[in-house]
Amino acid sequence: MANAAEHSGANGHAGVIGGNGRLGAVRLLLWALAGLLALRQAAAVLSVPPGEWLSGFHLPGAPGSVLGSLYDGGKFTGTPFSGLVLKPLVALAAPSLELAWTSVTLLLVAAVGLVAARGLPDPVPRRTALLAAPVLVALMMVSLPVREAASPGQTAVLPVLLVLLAVFRVPGERGAGFLTGLAAALQPALLLFVPLLWLAGRRPTARTAAVTFALATALSWAALPRDSWTYWVSHLAGTGLGAAPDSLANQSVHGALLRLGLTGPGEILLYVALAAGIVWIGLRRAARYARDGQLLLAVALTGCVAVAVSPTGWRHQMLWVLLAVAGKVGKRAADRPVWPVAVVLAMTLPSSVLLPNMAALAPVRDNVPLLAALAAGCAVPFLSRSSAYWREPVPTAYGRPAAARLARVPLLPVWRRVLSRPNLLLELLLIRVGYSLYSHIRAAAPTSRGLAEGHGSQIHAVERTLGIDIEYAVNHAVVNTPWLEAFFNFYYASFHFVVPLTILAVLYWRRPADYRWARASLGLATVLALAGFWLYPLAPPRLMPDLGFVDTVHGVQDLANPQYGAMTAISNQYAAMPSLHFGWSLWCGIVVVVLAPKGWQKALGAMHPLITVCAIVATANHWVLDAVGGAAVVGAGFGLVYVLSGPRGCVPAGAAGVPRPRAAERAGAGAGASAGERAPV
């Protein structure tokens, strides 16, 4: 970590200021996207009335405030030093303070992205050097930490920038130590950078940082003795200020233990023991990566550890986790996206999107940012720069370009047939997030009762004209046959998710190339179905007044009540056209018939959509034409996959057109491989 500023300035990518052709255009578009996201964030903050916004500082002197000191209301969470800095700003109460504060916060975020991008370890590919800064800034603009850090009085972005400047941009030891000490004065847990600097050989910087922190804290004690006592002694470095220590906002080990129901001296002892172990492991890892030349990763890991072990680690202080994407994980090229994707999802999406609402998963769902920080600081096996896989991971095997691809439809020509098995964790993340987004979009589709019932009357009229309006007769025949009603109710409620997931799991394990084909077709069909839900809200037979249908699955519905019972709160009841209940079952049948090796398996696969279409009609949950719509989107899904990637048949690995692993990768990393690494099988 010695001469970090010189190292940063000497990076091969540091002098890259532009790109040519397509790469330069992409860079400009990414910066434009980052700017739009910044404007969106600024608009969200500036929409708050000025008086209400200023009161969010929770400081004496703010409009409407009756506080006599910083912590009288228990809402202010900063250190006495940060209060000392912020109080004059609030006292001014200038009309432009809201705009100035928001603008400066977003500029600080952009500065973090620029400095972090220039701190990537050598060697850096030109594409990465050009695109890293706008990509990181755009991600930070939509991340949960930045969205919360834009609130009044939150200074979480500034300490991150001060530390990055100290490590990468300030050439002198004293200047770097001064900035690090100021960061710790604003966020005391960042004192962990002092032992990191010491372990990395920058001892003058570490001493200066410690002295700066001590002087800033002493200054705040002299100016605000009562507030300093409250913060450091009464609240043990801010514990319990701003929100209850066991609230979801406190993403620290201490907060997680309290949410698990642990209290009292036992919880304190366990917290101290865990924090000590996390600091020991995290600092040793950070120092190792610093000596390896991965300074940005070392800084990010230390920040993650600092927030995790702090008595109160707020979500807006979790920006360090995003910086940990600088580390490389995995020997295969296909595995490289797993860690960045996991970090981005954890830092940008609510935990309810990442994990289902199940009681057994609550300890994980409630602590996603904390777990991401702990994984980065203590567990994720980042590659060292000496690894043979650092620059050249094991390549992905692709099939030959398919001659049957439609030459006149040049959609996504870079979509190539991948033969290797995808990373399981990445697949699970994408499937879960994809389904959650599908559920949210489906629930947000138009739900006008009059429009949906009007469309239902249209469908019913078309079916009468075609002579296929069999829903009423089938529904009442099943209602009058109890065992058949029970069978169709069970089939409708039980097999919709189980069968597709089972097929995907079997294909993933046994036939990975076919898994990709099947998964892509199912995903595209589902996206097309969402368009139908938005454009054509449709009341199913069970929700059509005066037609006499019996809802066998959900029970009797009060059709005079637009809410139609508790089911309305769970799902959009008018997302019926096309029927994905039938569409997904048809997808299952096609996949099984095409891929199953035995006749009886093909027969079972073909029976599934037939039984499903009977179930959706018999239970009055869909019209017959809904099933036709489901078949249409599934056919379109398979057709799009054919257009984009050619026919399903694949070329075996090692055949013509498929790249073979390089000799060094087959032999096992070559002379530069680190100890213990072996070639992949």
Side-chain angles (χ1 to χ4, degrees):
M1 200 167 180
N3 301 321
E6 295 177 6
H7 170 87
S8 176
N11 278 348
H13 64 287
V16 177
I17 59 174
N20 296 323
R22 196 179 307 175
L23 192 60
V26 172
R27 185 173 188 245
L28 290 176
L29 288 175
L30 287 172
W31 274 120
L33 174 62
L36 289 175
L37 293 173
L39 291 176
R40 176 179 174 273
Q41 179 63 43
V45 175
L46 297 178
S47 63
V48 180
E52 181 181 341
W53 184 86
L54 284 171
S55 65
F57 277 90
H58 303 295
L59 288 170
S65 173
V66 294
L67 304 179
S69 65
L70 293 176
Y71 306 110
D72 277 354
K75 297 294 184 181
F76 183 68
T77 60
T79 63
F81 179 76
S82 63
L84 194 63
V85 173
L86 293 175
K87 282 178 69 175
L89 294 177
V90 178
L92 291 175
S96 59
L97 179 59
E98 183 179 6
L99 176 61
W101 180 275
T102 304
S103 301
V104 169
T105 299
L106 297 178
L107 287 175
L108 291 178
V109 173
V112 168
L114 288 169
V115 177
R118 293 173 68 88
L120 293 172
D122 292 328
V124 178
R126 181 175 178 80
R127 181 177 63 178
T128 302
L130 288 173
L131 303 183
V135 168
L136 182 57
V137 172
L139 288 176
M140 287 192 293
M141 289 297 178
V142 298
S143 68
L144 297 174
V146 168
R147 278 185 274 169
E148 295 194 8
S151 304
Q154 305 296 353
T155 58
V157 180
L158 181 57
V160 177
L161 180 59
L162 291 176
V163 171
L164 291 176
L165 291 173
V167 174
F168 295 109
R169 308 309 304 167
V170 176
E173 298 287 349
R174 291 185 177 179
F178 176 74
L179 294 181
T180 305
L182 283 182
L186 294 171
Q187 189 176 333
L190 299 186
L191 271 176
L192 283 179
F193 280 100
V194 172
L196 174 66
L197 292 167
W198 189 275
L199 292 173
R202 298 187 64 179
R203 297 189 176 185
T205 305
R207 284 193 291 266
T208 304
V211 170
T212 302
F213 170 79
L215 291 177
T217 304
L219 176 63
S220 61
W221 270 94
L224 304 169
R226 176 188 168 192
D227 291 328
S228 297
W229 178 270
T230 301
Y231 181 86
W232 292 107
V233 180
S234 300
H235 282 275
L236 297 175
T239 304
L241 293 174
D246 61 348
S247 69
L248 294 179
N250 182 12
Q251 288 293 311
S252 69
V253 173
H254 179 50
L257 292 177
L258 292 176
R259 285 190 290 275
L260 289 175
L262 302 176
T263 56
E267 185 274 331
I268 297 296
L269 291 175
L270 180 58
Y271 160 61
V272 171
L274 290 175
I278 293 168
V279 169
W280 174 260
I281 296 172
L283 285 183
R284 285 173 61 88
R285 279 165 49 90
R288 182 170 71 250
Y289 290 118
R291 291 190 293 268
D292 187 52
Q294 300 187 60
L295 302 181
L296 180 59
L297 180 59
V299 169
L301 300 191
T302 305
C304 290
V305 170
V307 178
V309 302
S310 175
T312 50
W314 306 113
R315 281 193 296 258
H316 61 264
Q317 298 172 341
M318 289 285 180
L319 201 57
W320 302 102
V321 182
L322 270 177
L323 300 182
V325 299
K328 294 183 179 181
V329 184
K331 298 178 181 179
R332 299 191 309 162
D335 295 335
R336 288 293 168 84
V338 177
W339 171 244
V341 168
V343 168
V344 170
L345 293 179
M347 290 295 105
T348 57
L349 296 179
S351 58
S352 59
V353 174
L354 298 174
L355 293 167
N357 188 20
M358 299 171 57
L361 296 177
V364 178
R365 189 178 59 251
D366 293 345
N367 300 292
V368 168
L370 169 63
L371 294 174
L374 290 176
C378 302
V380 177
F382 299 105
L383 291 175
S384 66
R385 295 173 69 208
S386 61
S387 169
Y389 301 99
W390 170 264
R391 297 188 63 178
E392 297 187 17
V394 177
T396 301
Y398 297 100
R400 266 198 311 258
R405 183 179 301 176
L406 301 183
R408 296 184 180 275
V409 188
L411 299 176
L412 298 180
V414 297
W415 188 333
R416 295 180 288 174
R417 177 71 68 190
V418 181
L419 303 181
S420 58
R421 180 178 291 110
N423 184 280
L424 179 59
L425 178 58
L426 183 60
E427 287 296 301
L428 293 176
L429 283 172
L430 294 181
I431 288 175
R432 168 58 199 171
V433 171
Y435 178 74
S436 182
L437 293 177
Y438 156 76
S439 300
H440 281 77
I441 294 173
R442 171 176 167 148
T447 57
S448 169
R449 179 185 180 186
L451 183 62
E453 291 180 356
H455 289 160
S457 298
Q458 292 176 2
I459 293 293
H460 195 207
V462 171
E463 290 189 352
R464 284 201 307 269
T465 302
L466 297 175
I468 58 173
D469 56 328
I470 62 173
E471 293 87 358
Y472 183 87
V474 173
N475 176 239
H476 280 265
V478 168
V479 169
N480 294 326
T481 311
W483 70 267
L484 196 57
E485 178 184 357
F487 170 75
F488 281 131
N489 287 349
F490 173 77
Y491 206 93
Y492 179 88
S494 302
F495 289 89
H496 183 43
F497 295 107
V498 172
V499 177
L501 291 176
T502 301
I503 291 174
L504 287 174
V506 172
L507 291 180
Y508 177 88
W509 183 251
R510 301 294 297 272
R511 307 180 69 160
D514 287 328
Y515 165 82
R516 293 177 182 272
W517 164 76
R519 180 251 282 145
S521 60
L522 180 63
L524 290 172
T526 303
V527 171
L528 293 174
L530 287 174
F533 299 156
W534 274 95
L535 299 175
Y536 199 77
L538 173 66
R542 63 185 178 85
L543 296 184
M544 287 293 292
D546 304 324
L547 293 186
F549 287 97
V550 177
D551 188 346
T552 64
V553 176
H554 308 108
V556 178
Q557 300 291 303
D558 179 8
L559 299 184
N561 179 4
Q563 296 302 314
Y564 296 140
M567 285 299 297
T568 308
I570 301 175
S571 177
N572 181 357
Q573 301 300 288
Y574 298 138
M577 171 62 83
S579 168
L580 279 185
H581 224 102
F582 175 72
W584 286 3
S585 70
L586 179 62
W587 172 89
C588 295
I590 293 174
V591 171
V592 172
V593 169
V594 170
L595 299 180
K598 298 180 180 180
W600 67 268
Q601 296 170 339
K602 295 179 184 291
L604 285 178
M607 288 176 58
H608 178 52
L610 295 177
I611 299 176
T612 300
V613 73
C614 294
I616 64 175
V617 173
T619 59
N621 275 278
H622 284 284
W623 306 96
V624 171
L625 288 181
D626 295 349
V628 176
V633 296
V634 169
F638 281 112
L640 282 173
V641 172
Y642 180 88
V643 170
L644 296 172
S645 60
R648 183 189 59 83
C650 300
V651 180
V658 182
R660 295 176 179 271
R662 294 185 178 91
E665 290 160 344
R666 294 198 307 269
S674 59
E677 291 181 348
R678 292 185 292 181
V681 178

Short mmCIF file of all heavy atoms in Angstrom, two decimals, residues 281-315:
data_model
loop_
_atom_site.label_atom_id
_atom_site.label_comp_id
_atom_site.label_asym_id
_atom_site.label_seq_id
_atom_site.Cartn_x
_atom_site.Cartn_y
_atom_site.Cartn_z
N ILE A 281 -10.15 -11.23 10.94
CA ILE A 281 -10.16 -11.85 9.62
C ILE A 281 -10.17 -10.78 8.52
O ILE A 281 -9.41 -10.86 7.55
CB ILE A 281 -11.38 -12.78 9.47
CG1 ILE A 281 -11.28 -13.94 10.46
CG2 ILE A 281 -11.49 -13.31 8.05
CD1 ILE A 281 -12.53 -14.80 10.52
N GLY A 282 -11.02 -9.79 8.69
CA GLY A 282 -11.17 -8.78 7.65
C GLY A 282 -9.92 -7.96 7.42
O GLY A 282 -9.53 -7.71 6.28
N LEU A 283 -9.26 -7.52 8.51
CA LEU A 283 -8.05 -6.70 8.35
C LEU A 283 -6.90 -7.51 7.77
O LEU A 283 -6.11 -6.99 6.97
CB LEU A 283 -7.66 -6.08 9.69
CG LEU A 283 -8.52 -4.91 10.17
CD1 LEU A 283 -7.96 -4.34 11.47
CD2 LEU A 283 -8.57 -3.81 9.11
N ARG A 284 -6.78 -8.76 8.14
CA ARG A 284 -5.72 -9.59 7.57
C ARG A 284 -5.94 -9.78 6.07
O ARG A 284 -5.00 -9.70 5.27
CB ARG A 284 -5.67 -10.94 8.27
CG ARG A 284 -5.06 -10.89 9.67
CD ARG A 284 -5.21 -12.23 10.37
NE ARG A 284 -4.52 -13.30 9.65
CZ ARG A 284 -3.23 -13.63 9.82
NH1 ARG A 284 -2.50 -12.95 10.70
NH2 ARG A 284 -2.69 -14.62 9.15
N ARG A 285 -7.20 -10.00 5.68
CA ARG A 285 -7.49 -10.14 4.25
C ARG A 285 -7.23 -8.82 3.52
O ARG A 285 -6.65 -8.81 2.43
CB ARG A 285 -8.95 -10.56 4.05
CG ARG A 285 -9.17 -12.05 4.23
CD ARG A 285 -10.65 -12.37 4.40
NE ARG A 285 -11.51 -11.75 3.40
CZ ARG A 285 -11.84 -12.30 2.23
NH1 ARG A 285 -11.33 -13.49 1.91
NH2 ARG A 285 -12.66 -11.69 1.40
N ALA A 286 -7.66 -7.72 4.09
CA ALA A 286 -7.46 -6.43 3.45
C ALA A 286 -5.98 -6.11 3.29
O ALA A 286 -5.55 -5.62 2.23
CB ALA A 286 -8.17 -5.33 4.25
N ALA A 287 -5.20 -6.38 4.34
CA ALA A 287 -3.75 -6.12 4.24
C ALA A 287 -3.11 -7.00 3.17
O ALA A 287 -2.22 -6.55 2.44
CB ALA A 287 -3.10 -6.36 5.60
N ARG A 288 -3.59 -8.25 3.06
CA ARG A 288 -3.03 -9.15 2.04
C ARG A 288 -3.32 -8.63 0.64
O ARG A 288 -2.44 -8.63 -0.24
CB ARG A 288 -3.59 -10.55 2.23
CG ARG A 288 -3.01 -11.55 1.22
CD ARG A 288 -3.39 -12.98 1.57
NE ARG A 288 -4.80 -13.26 1.35
CZ ARG A 288 -5.69 -13.46 2.29
NH1 ARG A 288 -5.32 -13.41 3.57
NH2 ARG A 288 -6.95 -13.72 2.00
N TYR A 289 -4.54 -8.18 0.41
CA TYR A 289 -4.87 -7.67 -0.92
C TYR A 289 -4.18 -6.33 -1.18
O TYR A 289 -3.87 -6.01 -2.35
CB TYR A 289 -6.38 -7.55 -1.08
CG TYR A 289 -7.07 -8.88 -1.16
CD1 TYR A 289 -8.01 -9.27 -0.20
CD2 TYR A 289 -6.77 -9.78 -2.19
CE1 TYR A 289 -8.64 -10.51 -0.28
CE2 TYR A 289 -7.38 -11.01 -2.26
CZ TYR A 289 -8.31 -11.38 -1.31
OH TYR A 289 -8.92 -12.61 -1.38
N ALA A 290 -3.95 -5.55 -0.14
CA ALA A 290 -3.21 -4.31 -0.33
C ALA A 290 -1.78 -4.60 -0.77
O ALA A 290 -1.25 -3.96 -1.69
CB ALA A 290 -3.21 -3.49 0.97
N ARG A 291 -1.14 -5.57 -0.13
CA ARG A 291 0.23 -5.94 -0.55
C ARG A 291 0.24 -6.55 -1.94
O ARG A 291 1.25 -6.49 -2.65
CB ARG A 291 0.83 -6.92 0.46
CG ARG A 291 1.12 -6.30 1.83
CD ARG A 291 1.94 -7.25 2.69
NE ARG A 291 1.18 -8.44 3.05
CZ ARG A 291 0.44 -8.55 4.15
NH1 ARG A 291 0.37 -7.52 4.99
NH2 ARG A 291 -0.21 -9.65 4.42
N ASP A 292 -0.89 -7.13 -2.36
CA ASP A 292 -1.00 -7.73 -3.68
C ASP A 292 -1.23 -6.68 -4.77
O ASP A 292 -1.27 -7.01 -5.95
CB ASP A 292 -2.16 -8.74 -3.68
CG ASP A 292 -2.25 -9.54 -4.95
OD1 ASP A 292 -1.23 -10.13 -5.35
OD2 ASP A 292 -3.33 -9.57 -5.56
N GLY A 293 -1.40 -5.42 -4.37
CA GLY A 293 -1.64 -4.37 -5.35
C GLY A 293 -3.10 -4.07 -5.59
O GLY A 293 -3.43 -3.22 -6.42
N GLN A 294 -4.01 -4.73 -4.90
CA GLN A 294 -5.44 -4.48 -5.06
C GLN A 294 -5.91 -3.51 -3.97
O GLN A 294 -6.62 -3.88 -3.03
CB GLN A 294 -6.21 -5.80 -4.99
CG GLN A 294 -5.81 -6.80 -6.07
CD GLN A 294 -6.72 -8.01 -6.07
OE1 GLN A 294 -7.92 -7.92 -6.28
NE2 GLN A 294 -6.12 -9.19 -5.84
N LEU A 295 -5.48 -2.25 -4.10
CA LEU A 295 -5.74 -1.27 -3.05
C LEU A 295 -7.22 -0.95 -2.91
O LEU A 295 -7.72 -0.80 -1.79
CB LEU A 295 -4.95 0.01 -3.36
CG LEU A 295 -3.43 -0.15 -3.50
CD1 LEU A 295 -2.80 1.20 -3.77
CD2 LEU A 295 -2.84 -0.78 -2.26
N LEU A 296 -7.91 -0.84 -4.05
CA LEU A 296 -9.33 -0.52 -3.97
C LEU A 296 -10.09 -1.62 -3.24
O LEU A 296 -10.97 -1.35 -2.42
CB LEU A 296 -9.90 -0.31 -5.37
CG LEU A 296 -11.39 0.02 -5.44
CD1 LEU A 296 -11.69 1.29 -4.67
CD2 LEU A 296 -11.84 0.15 -6.89
N LEU A 297 -9.76 -2.87 -3.54
CA LEU A 297 -10.41 -3.99 -2.85
C LEU A 297 -10.09 -3.96 -1.36
O LEU A 297 -10.97 -4.20 -0.52
CB LEU A 297 -9.98 -5.31 -3.47
CG LEU A 297 -10.57 -6.57 -2.85
CD1 LEU A 297 -12.09 -6.56 -2.94
CD2 LEU A 297 -10.00 -7.82 -3.52
N ALA A 298 -8.85 -3.67 -1.01
CA ALA A 298 -8.47 -3.61 0.41
C ALA A 298 -9.25 -2.53 1.14
O ALA A 298 -9.73 -2.74 2.27
CB ALA A 298 -6.96 -3.35 0.52
N VAL A 299 -9.40 -1.37 0.51
CA VAL A 299 -10.17 -0.28 1.12
C VAL A 299 -11.63 -0.68 1.28
O VAL A 299 -12.25 -0.45 2.33
CB VAL A 299 -10.04 0.99 0.26
CG1 VAL A 299 -11.05 2.04 0.69
CG2 VAL A 299 -8.63 1.55 0.34
N ALA A 300 -12.20 -1.31 0.24
CA ALA A 300 -13.60 -1.72 0.31
C ALA A 300 -13.84 -2.73 1.41
O ALA A 300 -14.82 -2.64 2.16
CB ALA A 300 -14.04 -2.29 -1.05
N LEU A 301 -12.95 -3.72 1.53
CA LEU A 301 -13.13 -4.75 2.57
C LEU A 301 -13.05 -4.13 3.96
O LEU A 301 -13.82 -4.50 4.86
CB LEU A 301 -12.07 -5.84 2.41
CG LEU A 301 -12.06 -6.61 1.09
CD1 LEU A 301 -11.15 -7.83 1.19
CD2 LEU A 301 -13.45 -7.04 0.70
N THR A 302 -12.12 -3.20 4.16
CA THR A 302 -12.02 -2.56 5.47
C THR A 302 -13.27 -1.76 5.79
O THR A 302 -13.77 -1.79 6.93
CB THR A 302 -10.79 -1.64 5.51
OG1 THR A 302 -9.62 -2.38 5.14
CG2 THR A 302 -10.58 -1.06 6.90
N GLY A 303 -13.81 -1.06 4.80
CA GLY A 303 -15.05 -0.33 5.02
C GLY A 303 -16.21 -1.25 5.34
O GLY A 303 -17.04 -0.94 6.21
N CYS A 304 -16.29 -2.40 4.65
CA CYS A 304 -17.35 -3.37 4.94
C CYS A 304 -17.25 -3.88 6.37
O CYS A 304 -18.26 -3.98 7.09
CB CYS A 304 -17.27 -4.54 3.97
SG CYS A 304 -17.73 -4.14 2.27
N VAL A 305 -16.05 -4.20 6.80
CA VAL A 305 -15.84 -4.68 8.17
C VAL A 305 -16.20 -3.59 9.18
O VAL A 305 -16.84 -3.86 10.20
CB VAL A 305 -14.39 -5.15 8.36
CG1 VAL A 305 -14.09 -5.42 9.82
CG2 VAL A 305 -14.12 -6.40 7.52
N ALA A 306 -15.81 -2.35 8.88
CA ALA A 306 -16.08 -1.25 9.82
C ALA A 306 -17.57 -1.07 10.05
O ALA A 306 -18.02 -0.91 11.19
CB ALA A 306 -15.46 0.03 9.27
N VAL A 307 -18.36 -1.10 8.98
CA VAL A 307 -19.81 -0.92 9.13
C VAL A 307 -20.43 -2.12 9.85
O VAL A 307 -21.33 -1.96 10.68
CB VAL A 307 -20.46 -0.70 7.76
CG1 VAL A 307 -21.97 -0.58 7.91
CG2 VAL A 307 -19.90 0.53 7.09
N ALA A 308 -19.93 -3.32 9.56
CA ALA A 308 -20.51 -4.52 10.16
C ALA A 308 -20.29 -4.58 11.67
O ALA A 308 -21.16 -5.01 12.41
CB ALA A 308 -19.94 -5.76 9.50
N VAL A 309 -19.12 -4.15 12.15
CA VAL A 309 -18.81 -4.28 13.57
C VAL A 309 -19.19 -3.04 14.36
O VAL A 309 -19.13 -3.05 15.59
CB VAL A 309 -17.31 -4.58 13.78
CG1 VAL A 309 -16.93 -5.86 13.06
CG2 VAL A 309 -16.44 -3.42 13.32
N SER A 310 -19.59 -1.97 13.67
CA SER A 310 -20.03 -0.77 14.38
C SER A 310 -21.29 -1.09 15.18
O SER A 310 -22.12 -1.89 14.76
CB SER A 310 -20.30 0.35 13.38
OG SER A 310 -20.83 1.48 14.03
N PRO A 311 -21.46 -0.48 16.36
CA PRO A 311 -22.71 -0.73 17.11
C PRO A 311 -23.96 -0.40 16.29
O PRO A 311 -24.98 -1.07 16.42
CB PRO A 311 -22.57 0.19 18.32
CG PRO A 311 -21.10 0.39 18.49
CD PRO A 311 -20.54 0.38 17.10
N THR A 312 -23.86 0.64 15.45
CA THR A 312 -24.96 0.98 14.56
C THR A 312 -24.39 1.19 13.16
O THR A 312 -23.69 2.16 12.91
CB THR A 312 -25.69 2.26 15.01
OG1 THR A 312 -24.72 3.29 15.25
CG2 THR A 312 -26.48 2.02 16.27
N GLY A 313 -24.68 0.26 12.27
CA GLY A 313 -24.24 0.38 10.89
C GLY A 313 -25.45 0.63 10.01
O GLY A 313 -26.16 -0.31 9.63
N TRP A 314 -25.67 1.90 9.68
CA TRP A 314 -26.88 2.26 8.93
C TRP A 314 -26.73 1.88 7.46
O TRP A 314 -25.63 1.78 6.92
CB TRP A 314 -27.16 3.76 9.06
CG TRP A 314 -27.23 4.23 10.47
CD1 TRP A 314 -26.36 5.06 11.11
CD2 TRP A 314 -28.22 3.86 11.45
NE1 TRP A 314 -26.74 5.26 12.41
CE2 TRP A 314 -27.88 4.53 12.65
CE3 TRP A 314 -29.34 3.05 11.43
CZ2 TRP A 314 -28.63 4.41 13.81
CZ3 TRP A 314 -30.10 2.93 12.58
CH2 TRP A 314 -29.75 3.60 13.75
N ARG A 315 -27.87 1.70 6.80
CA ARG A 315 -27.86 1.31 5.39
C ARG A 315 -27.16 2.34 4.52
O ARG A 315 -26.51 1.99 3.54
CB ARG A 315 -29.28 1.09 4.89
CG ARG A 315 -29.89 -0.25 5.29
CD ARG A 315 -31.15 -0.53 4.50
NE ARG A 315 -32.19 0.45 4.79
CZ ARG A 315 -33.22 0.21 5.59
NH1 ARG A 315 -33.36 -0.95 6.18
NH2 ARG A 315 -34.14 1.14 5.81
#
